[in-house]
């Protein structure tokens, strides 16, 4: 993962490798996935290799095909990041080389079998209040919830709506359309350790089945507060 290399590591690798006609380095990386800045990782090192190796000094091979995701999701991701990512901000221009390409065109007919005009991607936005700010949009028990609990409640309500409305999904094993079930839904959190218990409680209050890896008794928020 050469996008996460630092200068010292790169110098060691260069000392152990060869250049010119006997060059023997094969680097793999994606600057968009660089997350280890805390250990002095410098994605610019990998970017410079990619620029210098285009042409006489080497070769670059973009691996843009994505075989995991549905085409409609990739189209959403591309449309979201194309106007956001710039080289001067994140080190990457989200151009045709950086975009994710649908890697299973032969399955395009299966994935579009739903023939359903409903959106394949929805973006739910919550505007957090500033400290001391009072919002008139949230009332009742919503007003007393912490921000994480409000986020969990919003997601639980939306998932329950999908389940009750008979939202259709394509079953890849049975090759049919069927109603979405709880086991088809998943919540991904950047840091679940501090939110898992909150999500479990709010989902239970709304009546949404949730399987979550919880901490022990002494890790629950109430005990920690005490």
């Amino acid at each position: 993962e050469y996008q996460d290399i630092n200068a010292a590591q790169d110098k060691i690798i260069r000392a152990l490798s060869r250049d010119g006609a006997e060059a023997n380095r094969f680097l793999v990386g994606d600057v968009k996935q660089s997350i280890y800045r805390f250990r002095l990782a410098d994605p610019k090192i990998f970017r410079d290799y990619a620029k210098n190796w285009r042409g006489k000094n080497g070769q670059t091979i973009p691996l843009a095909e994505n075989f995991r995701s549905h085409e409609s999701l990739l189209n959403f991701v591309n449309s979201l990041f194309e106007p956001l990512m710039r080289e001067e901000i994140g080190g990457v221009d989200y151009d045709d080389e950086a975009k994710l390409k649908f890697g299973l065109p032969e399955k395009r007919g299966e994935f579009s079998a739903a023939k359903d005009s409903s959106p394949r991607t929805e973006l739910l936005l919550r505007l957090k209040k500033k400290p001391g700010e009072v919002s008139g949009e949230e009332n009742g028990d919503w007003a007393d919830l912490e921000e994480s609990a409000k986020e969990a409640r919003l997601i639980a309500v939306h998932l329950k709506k999908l389940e009750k409305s008979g939202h259709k999904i394509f079953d890849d094993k049975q090759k049919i359309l069927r109603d979405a079930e709880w086991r088809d839904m998943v919540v991904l959190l950047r840091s679940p350790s501090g939110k898992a218990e909150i999500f479990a409680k709010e989902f239970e209050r709304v009546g949404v089945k949730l399987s979550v890896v919880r901490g022990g008794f002494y890790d629950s928020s109430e005990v920690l507060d005490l």
Side-chain angles (χ1 to χ4, degrees):
E1 298 291 346
Y2 222 85
Q3 78 276 355
D4 294 321
I5 212 80
N6 62 41
Q9 293 167 330
D10 180 58
K11 193 164 187 176
I12 293 171
I13 293 172
R14 282 193 287 116
L16 294 172
S17 61
R18 299 186 298 270
D19 291 310
E22 297 183 338
N24 62 343
R25 271 179 294 169
F26 185 88
L27 314 181
V28 179
D30 182 358
V31 178
K32 299 189 296 297
Q33 296 184 39
S34 181
I35 60 175
Y36 294 113
R37 300 295 179 94
F38 62 85
R39 67 181 189 197
L40 303 181
D42 184 3
K44 185 177 182 297
I45 297 174
F46 182 65
R47 293 206 312 269
D48 288 344
Y49 276 118
K51 289 179 182 177
N52 294 332
W53 286 6
R54 282 188 175 93
K56 297 180 181 179
N57 299 321
Q59 183 182 13
T60 61
I61 305 173
L63 303 175
E65 287 78 13
N66 182 295
F67 297 91
R68 296 180 176 179
S69 304
H70 287 207
E71 186 175 20
S72 55
L73 296 180
L74 297 181
N75 292 338
F76 168 74
V77 171
N78 289 334
S79 66
L80 179 67
F81 284 101
E82 185 177 9
L84 291 179
M85 295 191 79
R86 293 284 183 273
E87 187 170 359
E88 60 270 22
I89 298 176
V92 177
D93 271 329
Y94 206 82
D95 53 17
D96 288 336
E97 191 172 292
K99 288 179 182 177
L100 299 169
K101 294 178 177 58
F102 184 51
L104 295 172
E106 68 276 8
K107 287 196 173 185
R108 183 173 281 124
E110 291 182 10
F111 291 160
S112 62
K115 295 181 180 178
D116 186 357
S117 60
S118 62
R120 287 287 169 254
T121 307
E122 287 185 82
L123 195 60
L124 305 179
L125 297 178
R126 273 202 70 254
L127 299 180
K128 293 184 178 181
K129 294 183 295 184
K130 297 178 181 178
E133 183 181 1
V134 179
S135 173
E137 297 178 0
E138 296 173 341
N139 47 43
D141 60 342
W142 279 80
D144 298 326
L145 296 176
E146 298 291 334
E147 290 298 335
S148 294
K150 289 177 181 177
E151 180 183 11
R153 178 81 61 89
L154 176 67
I155 295 172
V157 168
H158 192 68
L159 293 183
K160 190 170 186 178
K161 176 184 173 184
L162 288 177
E163 194 267 344
K164 274 197 160 189
S165 65
H167 179 76
K168 300 292 183 184
I169 66 166
F170 184 73
D171 191 308
D172 196 42
K173 289 183 178 180
Q174 302 182 53
K175 306 299 181 186
I176 60 170
L177 283 172
R178 61 170 174 80
D179 293 349
E181 302 173 4
W182 296 129
R183 61 189 173 92
D184 300 311
M185 307 177 191
V186 62
V187 178
L188 302 178
L189 298 172
R190 183 174 62 178
S191 179
S193 60
K195 290 186 175 182
E197 192 70 22
I198 296 172
F199 270 70
K201 289 179 179 178
E202 290 304 319
F203 273 51
E204 186 176 355
R205 286 184 179 129
V206 175
V208 175
K209 296 179 180 180
L210 176 67
S211 175
V212 61
V213 179
R214 290 176 161 179
F217 173 76
Y218 293 101
D219 295 325
S220 63
S221 57
E222 294 90 342
V223 176
L224 286 174
D225 289 342
L226 287 173

